[in-house]
Amino acid sequence: MAFPVAVQVYSVRDDASADLRLTLEKIKKMGYDGVEFAGLYGNSPADIKAMCAEIGLVPVSAHVPFIDMLKDPVGVLSQYAEIGCKYVAVPYLVPEHRPDHPNFEYVVEFIRIICKVAKSLGLQMLYHNHDFEFMKLDGKYALEILYDTIPEDLLKTELDTCWVNVGGEVPADYVRKFAGRAPVVHLKDFFGEKSDDMYELIGIDKKAPTRPSGFEFRPVGAGLQNFPAILEAAKDAGTEWIVVEQDKPSMGLTPMESIEKSIEYVKTINK
């Protein structure tokens, strides 16, 4: 059975900022079934809910900054409940919140609190990994410590298969590891080796050095990932949605061209 396919709107963030409705219309025309938001782009939750309904896109989920949720969990999460999202993900941790910092133990507990607020609003929290969670603390990946510490009913996974690979694990195997806890899986492709500037490429770190290894994000199917194996693993894991994401365009393509190339490839293997 084919998965419904969404796209992370962050992939086309400049287009969305200029005209969200037009961008969503183009996404629908490409063949996507849903969207995962990363901000409201100046629109109200009610307007976004209406746009999705009128265009025919499912507002599957949203990436919401950890700090924003920490400051006002009810106020921030309520917006995405109003839109109709089923899931909200912690998308990224700044350096002082990562596993190599003494704050990490407290960050995990703060995430637990946010998860409880989300549950009270009818939302399911996810955690969207990068590679820095694949450092070991007392012999266990920090990512796994997070999932072992917070109960599955409060926190499920949103495994980013690119970062799983960069982190040193086989994406398909890692998706299966979280069978029953992996409702949303990110499809992201890349080429090149891990480098110091990868977070510049996702639009976070503006001071990173020029990449020496040629690392770049690519449309799904145009890089090193084995997506047929990942989709088979997602089926075994009980995944509900697959989400295309490309943080920065490459190969001479625009962001919109990149996500269109991705969905064209996904259609050939998503059966």
Side-chain angles (χ1 to χ4, degrees), residues 6-82:
V7 65
Q8 168 52 262
V9 180
Y10 186 76
S11 307
V12 288
R13 52 196 175 275
D14 291 342
D15 298 88
S17 295
D19 191 328
L20 181 60
R21 176 180 284 274
L22 179 61
T23 301
L24 295 180
E25 288 172 347
K26 290 179 178 178
I27 286 170
K28 176 65 176 179
K29 189 174 181 179
M30 288 176 190
Y32 285 99
D33 304 297
V35 284
E36 179 175 68
F37 289 102
L40 304 182
Y41 303 100
N43 298 272
S44 71
D47 286 345
I48 291 178
K49 180 178 182 178
M51 284 182 205
C52 288
E54 292 161 9
I55 294 168
L57 287 169
V58 177
V60 181
S61 49
H63 279 191
V64 183
F66 172 63
I67 294 296
D68 292 354
M69 291 190 285
L70 194 58
K71 288 178 179 176
D72 183 11
V74 174
V76 171
L77 290 169
S78 292
Q79 297 179 87
Y80 295 96
E82 182 178 351

Side-chain angles (χ1 to χ4, degrees), residues 49-140:
K49 180 178 182 178
M51 284 182 205
C52 288
E54 292 161 9
I55 294 168
L57 287 169
V58 177
V60 181
S61 49
H63 279 191
V64 183
F66 172 63
I67 294 296
D68 292 354
M69 291 190 285
L70 194 58
K71 288 178 179 176
D72 183 11
V74 174
V76 171
L77 290 169
S78 292
Q79 297 179 87
Y80 295 96
E82 182 178 351
I83 289 170
C85 294
K86 183 176 181 178
Y87 301 103
V88 170
V90 176
Y92 180 80
L93 295 177
V94 297
E96 59 266 32
H97 293 154
R98 293 179 191 172
D100 60 348
H101 197 284
N103 285 332
F104 184 66
E105 179 182 350
Y106 302 99
V107 168
V108 172
E109 290 308 312
F110 285 134
I111 291 175
R112 185 201 297 268
I113 292 168
I114 292 167
C115 289
K116 289 181 178 179
V117 175
K119 185 70 73 175
S120 73
L121 295 169
L123 296 164
Q124 174 65 58
M125 285 299 301
L126 310 173
Y127 185 86
H128 171 264
N129 64 278
H130 290 76
D131 68 313
F132 49 75
E133 298 91 348
F134 288 91
M135 70 170 292
K136 290 190 173 181
L137 302 173
D138 297 324
K140 182 182 290 186

Side-chain angles (χ1 to χ4, degrees), residues 161 185-189 220 227 230-231 242-245 266:
T161 54
V185 171
H186 264 212
L187 305 187
K188 183 187 293 180
D189 217 343
V220 174
F227 287 108
I230 290 170
L231 292 192
I242 52 176
V243 179
V244 167
E245 182 180 43
V266 170

